[in-house]
Amino acid sequence: MKDLNVFGMYLNSMKDVVYLSAEEEALLVKKGKMGDKNARDKVIKSALHYVISVCKTFKHGKSFSMEDLIGYGNIGLVKAFDAYKPEKGTRFITCAAFWIRKEIMDAMGKNSRFIRLPQNCEEELNRIISVMESLPENLCENDKITETCRRLGLKERHVNDLLLASSFVKSLDEPCDADSDSFVLADKICDENSIDPSCEAEIKELCDFVSGAVDNLSNDEAYVLTRRYGLDRKGCRSLSQIGKELGVSKETVRTLERRALAHCRVYENMAEFQDYLAA
């Protein structure tokens, strides 16, 4: 089954929309305000084309499709009827314009950013972006921010904080190349402070080997070798220091060390670690 063109189907449904004259609109609005649902629906439906024209002024993409924008715009249109006051002498579409844009901008602010901003900050941010986009393209980012602050009477730190909070967040699973799924963003990011998994595995393997070799020594030999080479992670000790701990001479400690190393060289698993030792 072919994918349905939802937007195309929606446009086709617009063929039945009937435009209202000022007199017809005023009469239907009056009935709608008194509880006549059919009259209310006719007024709202007459402005559906305008919702589409407003939505075309907004950028849409992965976060918001045209169908999404139209959906939110239509919600604003419904709210506009409840807020509309015909006694002010304006047409319904004048009131609807404000509510359509407001509903779309509120939805984009709430759903398109990782950091959700309060409504007043969203409105302020929209003013900032509007001014920045109106400035000459040859200005650098810092100059644009400075000029925007001057025009709106805002502090640069405040503007920078709002712009930072409004930054869009990319998924680590997002493909680096739009035409290929071979690499995702996570494949290109590494933590320089972390240990490479393969190196970590080698270190663990060596630790297991050393532990196995030391376990095959006598208590005195294991004691000397552990402290002589800092295998207890407390630093390497001299022959004299170890001799004092054991209550023996430095030469006795040297003998124990040589004997321990000789036993390690003939350890049954030594062949598996020749490459490590050679390196």
Side-chain angles (χ1 to χ4, degrees):
M1 181 182 291
K2 294 183 179 180
D3 294 336
L4 293 176
N5 184 351
V6 179
F7 184 52
M9 293 172 63
Y10 183 78
L11 289 179
N12 287 332
S13 70
M14 293 290 99
K15 294 178 180 179
D16 299 329
V17 172
V18 178
Y19 294 99
L20 302 174
S21 65
E23 293 76 14
E24 290 174 325
E25 181 185 285
L27 180 61
L28 289 172
V29 167
K30 185 177 181 179
K31 290 181 179 179
K33 291 290 185 180
M34 294 175 65
D36 188 330
K37 186 177 183 300
N38 289 331
R40 176 178 179 271
D41 290 345
K42 285 181 180 179
V43 175
I44 292 173
K45 192 173 183 180
S46 69
L48 289 175
H49 276 105
Y50 183 69
V51 173
I52 297 175
S53 64
V54 171
C55 291
K56 288 180 179 179
T57 65
F58 288 86
K59 294 180 180 179
H60 61 276
K62 291 182 179 179
S63 299
F64 284 87
S65 63
M66 178 58 77
E67 291 86 349
D68 292 329
L69 296 177
I70 291 173
Y72 286 114
N74 287 345
I75 293 173
L77 186 61
V78 173
K79 291 182 178 180
F81 186 88
D82 297 330
Y84 177 49
K85 296 179 180 180
E87 61 269 20
K88 289 189 175 182
T90 59
R91 291 290 300 269
F92 171 66
I93 201 68
T94 304
C95 175
F98 167 79
W99 286 96
I100 292 168
R101 288 185 177 278
K102 182 179 185 304
E103 195 65 30
I104 293 174
M105 291 171 69
D106 286 352
M108 294 181 75
K110 291 176 182 176
N111 302 318
S112 64
R113 297 192 183 99
F114 185 73
I115 300 175
R116 184 171 176 176
L117 299 176
Q119 183 61 36
N120 63 318
C121 291
E122 284 287 352
E123 294 172 358
E124 194 170 42
L125 179 63
N126 288 328
R127 291 199 299 272
I128 292 170
I129 293 174
S130 177
V131 171
M132 290 184 69
E133 289 180 346
S134 69
L135 296 174
E137 294 183 0
N138 60 346
L139 284 180
C140 68
E141 191 73 12
N142 288 336
D143 289 342
K144 285 185 177 182
I145 292 174
T146 301
E147 178 60 19
T148 300
C149 291
R150 187 189 67 79
R151 292 190 184 187
L152 298 178
L154 299 173
K155 294 182 179 180
E156 285 197 22
R157 181 175 179 181
H158 178 63
V159 171
N160 283 323
D161 287 343
L162 281 178
L163 291 173
L164 180 62
S166 68
S167 301
F168 291 94
V169 178
K170 286 193 173 184
S171 170
L172 290 177
D173 295 322
E174 182 177 332
C176 293
D177 186 351
D179 300 325
S180 173
D181 295 333
S182 302
F183 294 98
V184 295
L185 191 58
D187 296 329
K188 301 293 185 179
I189 299 176
C190 64
D191 182 359
E192 296 180 355
N193 297 319
S194 66
I195 300 176
D196 184 87
S198 59
C199 292
E200 192 171 11
E202 289 182 0
I203 292 171
K204 185 179 183 304
E205 206 171 6
L206 279 170
C207 289
D208 292 341
F209 162 71
V210 172
S211 296
V214 172
D215 288 343
N216 282 277
L217 302 175
S218 66
N219 291 338
D220 287 344
E221 290 172 348
Y223 186 93
V224 169
L225 206 62
T226 297
R227 282 151 181 76
R228 188 79 174 98
Y229 295 96
L231 301 181
D232 57 357
R233 298 184 179 181
K234 294 182 180 180
C236 300
R237 272 80 109 197
S238 65
L239 297 174
S240 300
Q241 288 175 318
I242 299 172
K244 289 179 180 179
E245 293 174 9
L246 290 176
V248 297
S249 67
K250 183 170 67 173
E251 291 305 318
T252 300
V253 174
R254 192 192 304 277
T255 301
L256 288 170
E257 179 189 6
R258 289 174 179 172
R259 191 187 304 163
L261 291 173
H263 288 160
C264 286
R265 291 190 184 97
V266 295
Y267 178 50
E268 58 181 355
N269 294 327
M270 177 63 73
E272 301 176 16
F273 293 88
Q274 289 300 327
D275 292 337
Y276 293 118
L277 296 174

